[in-house]
Amino acid sequence: SHVKDFSKFVFFFQRVLLLVAADVDALCACKILQALFQCDHVQYTLVPVAGWQDLETAFLEHKEQFKYFVLLNCGANVDLLELLQPDEEAVFYICDTHRPIDIINLYNDTQIKLLIKQDDDLDVPGYDDLFRDDEEQNSEDSGNESEGSEPSGKRRRFDEVSIIDSRHIANLMSNSLSPCLQSALVMFELAWIMSKDSNDMLWWTIVGLTDQWIHDKITHMKYVTDVGTVQRHVSRHNHRNEDEENSLSIDCMRISFNYDLRLAMYQHWSLYESICNSSYTYANLKLWSIQGLKRLQEFLADMGLPLKQVTQKFNCMDISLKENLRELIEESANKFGMRDIRVQTFSVHFGFKNQFLASDVVYSAAALLENIEKDNENDNFIRALDCLSRSNLDKLHQGLEMAKKQLRAIHQTVASCICTNLIISQGPFLYCYLQEGSPDVKIFSKPICLSLLCRHLLKSFIRSTRIKRCRLLPLVMAAPMDLDKGTVIVTGIPPESDSSDKKSDFFGKAFEKAAESTSSRTLHDHFDTSIIELKAEDRSKFLDALISLLS
């Protein structure tokens, strides 16, 4: 773990190039690091990178001016030195949730510093257990003949090593898949070690953690464990008397731990819309079907909530109804088989009238990142970063409105995929292709949105089919990407029944092999290797290869 090492270095950085991936956890880690750099007057340049090509371009443009590079949520799962070919004095600090970590990055300690939390340390066998130097081997074989052989103290180059023990490699590969820790939490720990952590930083950490959970990058168990870790910091930073709460000043900020509902943005929407567009209630009530809509009416009736109340804005609901609303919903949800509608989470109060759940901020920032109306990646990145500051609540509200549109589109698409039988079983996996011209198809040309659709669809499809085997199958999904270039975006997710922590690289290698064996024209540019771009006319041969590979 280089976190402590990095904390000492922050003071000494002259100038840093900060390369940040386009996901909410990376944005939150970036905010924390920016605040730390500000404390220590460290000069830095921030460059958003959407994929490997961006990363290479940014490095080439800036490598002359910088010696230190910090990479957030990118760079760990490829041989970075091979990709970037940097000078020997360049040092890369990598804080990345993508797994598996590339084995070469694990061993190059001079130029690659992986920021991994202490208790998340990878049980890595020693370098000498895994590698031997070919030169050394030769000199042993030929006695002392090779006078020109390099001194053994020379730093070993990794292109000269050969692997000697496959058992260790297997052990290492499973370890480098270990549960990934969100980058925001690593950065917060850094701030804490330096005694510079603040309530703002803590809130960004919570948003980063919630992002990993909402977008299914960590298991529920891991989420609950990390919530426990964060909760201790929350009570440390927010131990205010109840009497003071009534006199919260406008610029004051308070974080609190709650058990809240798994209903997306319900406090900024109507309860009815939120129930209809939250993956949890949508799938459990089977809202794509007529029977499901009937069950929804029964559910509302059971709670005794008049339709007029639940269909208007949450803010405008009768206060008497809102007082014990959570308990009311939970009680009825239990009867309808939704026993875990409550979840541990955090909310923040800005001043006395603005309150947000961590999930609200995640939905807002993700929607701003993938805004298709203003399809400029850099602008979108800056807007999403802005919505995390409490001085930019209008941006946050803007993002919430966009996120509502996205969730509506996702659930309409789920309904039409299920009702028109678009999901087909291809043997080793389920497959769904969104046709060009289907409504809202453009928003699914973006990775976060497509992955969200993919997960919501799999969850609902499993509840809509009688075929038990489907629970054990992963889902591959394709959607039109760029009509002019004739490309589609393809992603794959693990089976619903797979609760392992190894969610990261389920399809990456299979996609690579299928493309290779069929000479399909693909672009593997995403940091998440299970998202690729593919020429539309190569789709069927690519699919056939994937089926035979995974069978």
Side-chain angles (χ1 to χ4, degrees), residues 6 13 16-21 26 29-30 33 37 45-47 49 51-52 55-56 58-59 67-81 83-84 90-98 105 111-115 183 186-187 527:
F6 184 58
F13 282 145
V16 185
L17 185 66
L18 193 50
L19 298 160
V20 185
C30 174
L33 199 51
F37 283 163
T45 298
L46 167 62
V47 182
V49 286
W52 297 113
L55 184 63
E56 275 186 83
F59 179 72
K67 181 185 166 189
Y68 295 109
F69 301 86
V70 178
L71 282 70
L72 297 179
N73 281 1
C74 55
N77 55 348
V78 296
D79 180 351
L80 196 65
L81 299 189
L83 179 79
L84 300 179
V91 181
F92 298 88
Y93 285 93
I94 302 175
C95 187
D96 188 3
T97 57
H98 295 105
N105 293 338
Q111 284 187 277
I112 304 272
K113 314 282 188 186
L114 292 168
L115 302 178
S183 298
V186 175
M187 285 300 143
F527 299 128

Side-chain angles (χ1 to χ4, degrees), residues 1-13 37 68 70 91-94 108-118 186-187 189-191 193-194:
S1 163
H2 290 282
V3 176
K4 284 199 169 69
D5 171 22
F6 184 58
S7 71
K8 295 185 198 106
F9 260 109
V10 172
F11 298 111
F12 300 119
F13 282 145
F37 283 163
Y68 295 109
V70 178
V91 181
F92 298 88
Y93 285 93
I94 302 175
N108 188 320
D109 220 28
T110 36
Q111 284 187 277
I112 304 272
K113 314 282 188 186
L114 292 168
L115 302 178
I116 297 163
K117 206 166 155 282
Q118 290 286 202
V186 175
M187 285 300 143
E189 184 163 88
L190 171 71
I193 289 170
M194 296 167 69

Side-chain angles (χ1 to χ4, degrees), residues 15 83 134 153 158-159 213 228 256-257 264 268 366 404 413-414 474 548:
R15 294 174 66 229
L83 179 79
D134 279 352
F158 283 90
D159 44 9
W213 180 63
S256 49
F257 170 78
H268 306 275
K404 291 174 194 175
T413 308
V414 167
S548 66

